[in-house]
């Protein structure tokens, strides 16, 4: 019977549910989401490729040298690459809904 | 009546969701009102699976019988007038018999399937019957005695001045609600279904239209029991009327009353944890049944 | 007589794959066995192919709910081997996050218990309140569950005054809610009916079966790694080791709820007394660890978690081994299910099973070799040799 107060109280409260697809909460500033990459700042050191625990970074030669390609579907959002990058070429992002029907959307170059 | 059943399921889900700080059905129809219907249609379109070793005849007949029985029972309940759609001598007793028969279909459907879970669920349903059948019967019969007849129309008519709930019949109403909760297999007494123990009990092997029928029969039962409670204790569809407007007002009264009963049932289901079968039987035989008998005898005495 | 009822590997009792083989007579369980070998994931082997730092992120994924415990244990272990110690501020922050994780884990469990006994309202409300802790986690560490907060040499993010304030106010609010739930568990007749005297594990039995964590503490064993072998700043932050003598599922629930309240106090105290300073010692992303062996223990929400590492001097572990608390408690679970001196109903099985707070994904890796017969012993044999 202890529950009675709580449940009746809920009658006068708003819902706790976030109606997700229509209503998206914005993640806090610290949030680790899908990362971004600025190719111009990269010096091709390959450190990110070496540290990535999920092997989500491939190195690919684009004429200027080896540049990383990020496969978001494999990324575990540890941000280790961001931490080690000497030129801060990899940018943190806040996007958390990375669902897509095209695989190419999940590749960050 | 079908609409009413679906409406009641929706109301039940919505209200419980509200009590639990959730949203409940939302997307189908206005406020998700069509969700129960959508669920039914979806179930009907599912693949029909009959597990090997099933007693097919029982398995097929039970869902149909369940729905039919409850349709019949529901037709006796007065909704728009002092009398129900059907009317017979002693129809209260007919309804009570049908409720027991309905449980029989549950038991048979559960034991027709070869699964151990459903067998256990069926056995549990049968054992539970021992617990709540007497309270259900006696609490409604004593109203009949008080009204001097077992016709629902008579009972309703008797309440023109004052519904039975105002007065000593309040106890009967409470007993009826508890027994109805058990009959409906709602939360403190959802022992035969007990999702986390025996998966879904007697429902586990049912699929497609069988499951749809049984689910629908549960909704019908919801209507039946809240309608019955309304008729027995709350004066059915009658109430203060402006002459000439009975046709309009009676259904509204009925709806309002039975929906409040429904809300009471839903509220009850949010308050407790599921109890164990042995605890349920103990609860019934130690408290509920003596109370019922005392109440019944007291009513006889008065009459 | 009696029929076998399989509970699992797919069963609403638990989202993870575990099989309880129950022998049932009517509504009573007469025999039980457990098979937890459905989700062997080969994480220990995989660790041998990752560098020490990469391994951290794999270890974190051993268990979603205990990820903070695992990563704390791993970093402590590696730091030991390296001879590095995290700065004091980092240790305080680790403690804060660890206790936050304990709160959310215990609340998850409480919700789960409510679900197992069919108390849907309690389940919904507890999960609603747990969400607040997860939001705090998200703000503090960058993610709700897999925090990636600890790192060899310290922690990755600092806490700023605004966030600190939010943590305090949220926890203050939570304290009120948890106290209500405590009262509910204490007094609600239906909860009591389902948990009191269910899943009895006497103190001597718990000792013999090496139960850990809340299971042991509810049987009156005052054993908590945080108190007995402080690995962070636990000697500076005061807290009580909650023990109860009831030895049943109800006691386990109470121990956990009390621990949530203790954790809230610990976090408050840590936030008051946290020293300023660096939060991280720089350790290069790829490093070699001097040869040697090391162990670390932490008190995960479910009990004592144990890590063993062996290094051959390279940048990858030579061998890594973990013993998770659920594994330690499985023997007790089997014993509780099939003890002959008390009726165990089928309806009690979820409660007993739930009361050890099982986490199967981190458990399924054991096999024990019987040297004499050179055959693989499974848990069934283990439970038999210990329980009978
Ligand atoms: S965030 Fe982690 S997993 Fe993702 S690409 Fe960077 S290093 Fe790899
Ligand atoms: S670490 Fe930074 S600079 Fe080096 S390859 Fe990766 S992105 Fe480029």
């Amino acid at each position: 019977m202890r529950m009675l107060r709580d449940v009746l109280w809920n009658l006068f409260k708003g819902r706790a549910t976030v109606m997700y697809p229509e209503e998206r909460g914005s993640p806090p500033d610290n949030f680790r989401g899908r990362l971004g990459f600025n190719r111009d700042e990269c010096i091709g050191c390959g450190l990110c490729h070496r540290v990535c625990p999920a092997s989500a970074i491939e190195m690919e030669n684009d004429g200027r040298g080896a540049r990383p390609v990020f496969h978001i579907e494999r990324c575990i959002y540890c941000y280790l690459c961001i931490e080690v990058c000497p030129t801060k070429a990899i940018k943190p992002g806040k996007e958390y809904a990375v669902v897509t029907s095209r695989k190419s959307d999940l590749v960050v170059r | 009546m079908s609409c009413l059943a679906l409406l009641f399921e929706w109301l039940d889900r919505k209200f419980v969701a509200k009590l639990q700080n959730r949203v409940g059905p939302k997307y189908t129809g206005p406020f998700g009102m069509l969700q129960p219907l959508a669920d039914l249609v979806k179930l009907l379109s599912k693949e029909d699976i009959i597990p090997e070793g099933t007693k097919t005849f029982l398995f097929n007949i039970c869902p149909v019988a369940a729905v039919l029985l409850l349709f019949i029972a529901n037709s006796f309940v007065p909704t728009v007038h002092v009398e129900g759609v059907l009317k017979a001598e002693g129809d209260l007793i007919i309804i009570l018999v049908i409720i027991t028969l309905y449980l029989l279909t549950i038991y048979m459907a559960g034991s027709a399937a070869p699964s151990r879970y459903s067998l256990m669920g069926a056995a549990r349903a049968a054992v539970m019957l021992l617990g709540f059948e007497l309270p259900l019967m006696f609490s409604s019969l004593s109203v009949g005695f008080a009204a001097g007849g077992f016709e629902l129309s008579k009972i309703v008519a008797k309440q023109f001045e004052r519904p039975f709930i105002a007065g000593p019949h309040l106890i009967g109403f409470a007993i009826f609600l508890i027994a109805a909760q058990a009959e409906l297999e709602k939360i403190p007494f959802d022992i035969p279904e007990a999702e986390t123990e025996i998966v879904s009990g007697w429902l586990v092997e049912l699929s497609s239209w069988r499951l749809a029928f049984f689910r629908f029969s549960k909704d019908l039962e919801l209507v039946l029991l809240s309608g019955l409670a309304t008729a027995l204790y709350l004066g059915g569809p009658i109430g203060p009327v402006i002459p000439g407007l009975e046709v309009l007002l009676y259904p509204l009264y009925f709806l309002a009353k039975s929906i409040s009963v429904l809300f009471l049932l839903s509220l009850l289901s949010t308050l407790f944890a599921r109890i164990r079968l042995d605890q349920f039987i103990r609860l019934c035989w130690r408290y509920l049944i003596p109370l019922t008998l005392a109440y019944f005898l007291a009513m006889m005495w008065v009459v | 007589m009696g029929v076998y009822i399989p509970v699992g590997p797919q069963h609403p009792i638990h989202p993870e794959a575990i099989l309880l083989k129950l022998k049932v007579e009517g509504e009573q369980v007469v025999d039980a066995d457990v098979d937890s070998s459905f989700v062997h994931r080969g994480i220990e082997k995989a660790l041998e192919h990752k560098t020490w730092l990469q391994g951290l992120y794999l270890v974190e994924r051993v268990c979603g709910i205990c990820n903070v415990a695992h990563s704390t244990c791993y970093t402590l272990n590696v730091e030991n081997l390296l001879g590095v110690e995290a700065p004091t501020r980092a240790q305080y922050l680790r403690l804060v996050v660890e206790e936050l994780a304990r709160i959310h884990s215990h609340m998850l469990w409480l919700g789960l218990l409510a679900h197992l006994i069919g108390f849907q309202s309690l389940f919904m409300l507890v999960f609603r309140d747990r969400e607040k802790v997860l939001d705090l986690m998200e703000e503090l560490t960058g993610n709700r569950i897999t925090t990636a907060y600890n790192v060899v040499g310290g922690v990755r993010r600092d806490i700023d005054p605004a966030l600190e304030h939010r943590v305090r106010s949220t926890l203050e609010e939570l304290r009120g809610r948890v106290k209500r739930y405590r009262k509910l568990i204490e007094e609600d007749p239906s909860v009591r009916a389902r948990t009191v005297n269910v899943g009895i594990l006497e103190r001597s039995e718990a000792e013999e079966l090496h139960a850990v964590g809340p299971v042991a503490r509810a049987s009156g064993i005052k054993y908590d790694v945080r108190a007995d072998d402080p690995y962070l700043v636990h000697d500076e932050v005061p807290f009580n080791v909650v023990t109860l003598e009831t030895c049943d599922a109800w006691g386990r629930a109470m121990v956990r709820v009390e621990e949530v309240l203790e954790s809230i106090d610990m976090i408050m105290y840590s936030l008051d007394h946290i020293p300023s300073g660096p939060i991280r010692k720089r350790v290069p992303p790829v490093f070699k660890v001097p040869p040697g062996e090391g162990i670390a223990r932490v008190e995960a929400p479910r009990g004592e978690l144990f890590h063993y590492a062996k290094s051959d001097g390279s940048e990858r572990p030579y061998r890594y081994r973990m013993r998770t608390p659920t594994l330690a408690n499985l023997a007790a679970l089997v014993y509780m299910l099939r003890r002959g001196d008390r009726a165990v109903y089928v309806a009690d099985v979820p409660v007993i099973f739930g009361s050890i707070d099982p986490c199967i994904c981190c458990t399924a890796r054991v096999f024990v070799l019987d040297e004499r017969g050179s055959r693989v012993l499974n848990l069934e044999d283990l439970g038999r040799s210990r329980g009978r």
Side-chain angles (χ1 to χ4, degrees):
Chain A
M1 276 309 203
R2 285 248 148 223
M3 208 66 198
L4 191 60
R5 205 182 88 187
D6 290 66
V7 291
L8 288 185
W9 192 240
N10 280 339
L11 277 181
F12 309 106
K13 271 217 244 180
R15 58 189 154 77
T17 319
V18 178
M19 305 307 300
Y20 171 61
E22 293 110 50
E23 203 182 277
R24 290 168 189 239
S26 73
D29 295 338
N30 265 344
F31 186 74
R32 292 193 308 270
R34 177 194 179 124
L35 40 76
F37 175 53
N38 184 347
R39 200 165 259 242
D40 299 332
E41 289 174 37
C42 173
I43 51 170
C45 66
L47 257 180
C48 52
H49 167 69
R50 278 184 66 200
V51 295
C52 178
S55 316
I57 306 176
E58 231 177 4
M59 295 306 276
E60 166 196 88
N61 205 318
D62 71 341
R64 277 183 295 178
R67 291 291 182 268
V69 177
F70 301 85
H71 295 279
I72 299 298
E73 80 274 20
R74 261 189 255 161
C75 173
I76 57 172
Y77 307 104
C78 66
Y79 276 20
L80 217 52
C81 51
I82 294 183
E83 241 171 50
V84 297
C85 178
T87 58
K88 302 266 168 283
I90 313 172
K91 313 285 184 215
K94 289 214 285 181
E95 194 192 330
Y96 53 88
V98 289
V99 185
T100 173
S101 49
R102 267 175 305 153
K103 207 172 171 188
S104 56
D105 289 351
L106 293 177
V107 180
V108 175
R109 285 169 194 276
Chain B
M1 203 186 297
S2 314
C3 296
L4 209 56
L6 295 175
L7 175 77
F8 269 43
E9 188 195 335
W10 173 76
L11 276 171
D12 178 34
R13 282 164 71 170
K14 209 66 180 169
F15 185 64
V16 169
K18 183 75 194 160
L19 290 178
Q20 296 175 343
N21 216 335
R22 292 185 289 127
V23 189
K26 175 168 185 294
Y27 291 105
T28 357
F31 307 105
M33 257 168 138
L34 296 181
Q35 190 62 46
L37 182 66
D39 288 350
L40 276 191
V41 172
K42 176 177 167 253
L43 276 180
L44 286 175
S45 68
K46 288 271 175 181
E47 186 195 349
D48 186 9
I49 300 168
I50 300 183
E52 218 170 279
T54 310
K55 299 182 193 82
T56 326
F57 176 69
L58 274 185
F59 210 51
N60 284 336
I61 204 84
C62 284
V64 183
V67 172
L68 276 183
L69 280 175
L70 286 171
F71 262 119
I72 297 171
N74 264 323
S75 329
F76 285 113
V77 177
T79 47
V80 294
H81 195 57
V82 181
E83 292 166 2
V85 183
L86 291 179
K87 185 170 164 279
E89 197 96 334
D91 42 15
L92 175 59
I93 306 213
I94 300 183
I95 292 182
L96 290 177
V97 170
I98 286 183
I99 289 177
T100 314
L101 280 180
Y102 172 64
L103 269 155
L104 203 65
T105 64
I106 285 184
Y107 175 74
M108 291 199 297
S111 52
S115 160
R116 287 161 202 172
Y117 296 125
S118 75
L119 209 66
M120 275 193 85
R124 282 177 172 201
V127 175
M128 270 184 69
L129 188 67
L130 299 178
F132 68 80
E133 194 65 2
L134 282 178
L136 191 69
M137 292 218 162
F138 280 104
S139 59
S140 24
L141 288 185
S142 20
V143 176
F145 276 115
F150 297 114
E151 286 80 52
L152 283 175
S153 52
K154 227 180 212 168
I155 295 175
V156 170
K158 188 91 179 169
Q159 302 178 67
F160 256 116
E161 289 111 57
R162 201 174 66 150
F164 277 135
I165 189 172
H169 284 287
L170 189 59
I171 309 169
F173 183 61
I175 295 171
F176 187 89
L177 275 193
I178 295 175
Q181 191 84 353
E183 164 78 42
L184 286 165
E185 297 176 1
K186 277 158 91 61
I187 266 182
F189 311 125
D190 61 340
I191 304 167
E193 283 177 23
E195 194 205 352
T196 45
E197 292 156 23
I198 46 173
V199 196
S200 272
W202 57 274
L203 279 165
V204 73
E205 294 296 351
L206 299 164
S207 58
S208 182
W209 64 272
R210 291 186 197 87
L211 185 56
F213 272 41
F214 262 120
R215 276 192 55 144
F216 187 56
S217 74
K218 277 275 161 226
D219 298 344
L220 285 173
E221 202 186 12
L222 200 60
V223 178
L224 173 66
L225 287 170
S226 28
L228 199 57
T230 311
L232 291 180
Y233 298 97
L234 303 178
I238 57 176
V241 280
I242 311 151
L245 277 181
E246 284 101 334
V247 197
L248 204 67
L249 282 177
Y250 275 179
L252 281 183
Y253 281 136
F254 174 76
L255 269 186
K257 286 173 181 174
S258 57
I259 285 174
S260 1
V261 175
L262 170 74
F263 279 176
L264 275 180
L265 288 172
S266 311
L267 180 64
L268 212 56
S269 76
T270 61
L271 292 182
F272 296 105
R274 178 193 318 123
I275 58 175
R276 231 162 40 199
L277 185 59
D278 58 313
Q279 288 163 346
F280 173 73
I281 297 298
R282 209 170 306 140
L283 174 87
C284 285
W285 282 93
R286 210 172 271 169
Y287 305 107
L288 209 53
I289 291 181
L291 185 68
T292 319
L293 287 182
Y295 160 70
F296 180 68
L297 291 178
M299 281 308 125
M300 297 284 281
W301 182 269
V302 172
V303 178
Chain C
M1 257 301 286
V3 277
Y4 276 101
I5 290 200
V7 175
Q10 287 292 322
H11 193 281
I13 198 173
H14 201 66
E16 293 175 69
I18 185 168
L19 174 60
L20 301 173
K21 285 177 244 166
L22 304 178
K23 193 174 181 197
V24 171
E25 272 173 20
E27 279 279 323
Q28 287 194 12
V29 179
V30 288
D31 200 1
D33 266 331
V34 67
D35 181 352
S36 70
S37 56
F38 291 92
V39 275
H40 182 91
R41 293 186 293 165
I43 283 188
E44 287 171 2
K45 193 70 191 164
L47 275 175
E48 295 167 16
H49 299 277
K50 297 272 173 204
T51 62
W52 287 99
L53 190 58
Q54 287 175 346
L56 173 60
Y57 298 94
L58 185 54
V59 164
E60 238 179 15
R61 280 159 180 79
V62 169
C63 169
I65 304 301
C66 312
N67 75 84
V68 178
H70 275 283
S71 67
T72 312
C73 202
Y74 185 88
T75 45
L76 286 172
N77 204 353
V78 177
E79 280 166 12
N80 257 342
L81 284 170
L82 274 179
V84 181
E85 203 191 347
T88 324
R89 188 177 173 82
Q91 297 208 14
Y92 268 96
L93 285 173
R94 276 183 187 174
L95 188 133
V96 168
V97 171
E98 189 191 16
E99 295 309 320
L100 274 179
R102 193 181 315 278
I103 294 174
H104 97 66
S105 170
H106 280 352
M107 291 190 74
L108 173 107
W109 177 84
L110 186 61
L112 217 61
L113 176 83
H115 171 64
L116 288 176
I117 60 176
F119 203 155
Q120 293 305 336
S121 313
L122 182 60
F123 168 64
M124 295 294 171
L125 296 189
V126 169
F127 266 56
R128 178 194 69 193
D129 294 336
R130 170 178 176 257
E131 208 58 23
K132 297 193 183 110
V133 187
L134 291 179
D135 287 345
L136 283 186
M137 277 290 226
E138 193 177 35
E139 282 188 60
L140 186 55
T141 70
N143 228 328
R144 287 156 49 92
I145 303 284
T146 19
T147 51
Y149 192 62
N150 295 313
V151 72
V152 178
V155 295
R156 291 174 74 182
R157 285 175 184 184
D158 208 345
I159 188 169
D160 60 24
L163 179 54
E164 190 186 318
H165 182 73
R166 269 200 301 285
V167 173
R168 277 176 202 276
S169 57
T170 312
L171 288 184
E172 219 39 84
E173 198 188 321
L174 198 68
R175 199 203 304 263
R177 296 298 312 165
V178 175
K179 283 200 171 136
R180 254 198 92 57
Y181 296 137
R182 179 175 68 181
K183 208 160 176 83
L184 192 103
I185 296 173
E186 259 174 1
E187 290 173 7
D188 186 272
S190 59
V191 173
R192 284 191 70 100
R194 290 304 302 277
T195 52
V196 171
N197 277 329
V198 169
I200 293 282
L201 189 69
E202 305 284 354
R203 185 187 171 126
S204 58
E205 294 159 352
E207 273 167 0
E208 197 185 324
L209 295 163
H210 307 288
V212 294
V215 179
R217 290 196 282 276
S219 292
I221 302 174
K222 206 175 168 88
Y223 177 62
D224 187 325
V225 185
R226 289 176 294 170
D228 300 333
D229 179 15
Y231 46 92
L232 294 174
V233 281
H234 293 113
D235 32 7
E236 292 170 30
V237 180
F239 68 102
N240 299 322
V241 178
V242 186
T243 55
L244 275 180
E245 307 284 337
T246 55
C247 307
D248 56 3
W250 181 82
R252 280 161 225 151
M254 283 310 280
V255 164
R256 289 191 174 102
V257 174
E258 294 282 353
E259 277 184 17
V260 170
L261 295 173
E262 282 297 325
S263 295
I264 293 176
D265 286 342
M266 283 170 81
I267 294 174
M268 296 292 191
Y269 183 92
S270 314
L271 290 179
D272 286 339
H273 293 82
I274 188 165
S276 53
I279 55 162
R280 184 171 179 179
K281 284 218 177 87
R282 269 285 153 204
V283 175
V286 180
F287 51 86
K288 288 198 162 77
V289 167
E293 286 176 297
I295 60 158
R297 305 192 284 167
V298 304
E299 182 73 18
R302 290 165 173 78
E304 178 190 3
L305 171 69
F306 178 92
H307 278 202
Y308 162 86
K310 183 169 181 178
S311 166
D312 58 358
S314 71
E315 60 224 19
R316 295 183 162 83
Y318 177 73
R319 176 82 175 100
Y320 206 87
R321 179 90 183 81
M322 302 164 216
R323 198 204 60 170
T324 53
T326 304
L327 180 65
N329 281 336
L330 271 187
L333 169 69
V334 175
Y335 182 76
M336 283 188 275
L337 283 179
R338 68 154 172 235
R339 54 183 307 148
D341 52 348
R342 242 169 239 281
V344 173
Y345 294 96
V346 174
D348 291 337
V349 172
V351 182
I352 297 177
F353 179 66
S355 74
I356 69 161
D357 200 356
C359 171
I360 312 304
C361 60
C362 49
T363 302
R365 84 168 63 75
V366 74
F367 61 90
V368 182
L369 274 178
D370 185 350
E371 282 178 19
R372 283 157 296 160
S374 73
R375 76 191 173 100
V376 180
L377 288 186
N378 52 17
L379 262 171
E380 182 185 322
D381 303 323
L382 274 185
R384 190 157 288 146
S385 59
R386 280 187 190 163
R388 287 272 157 93

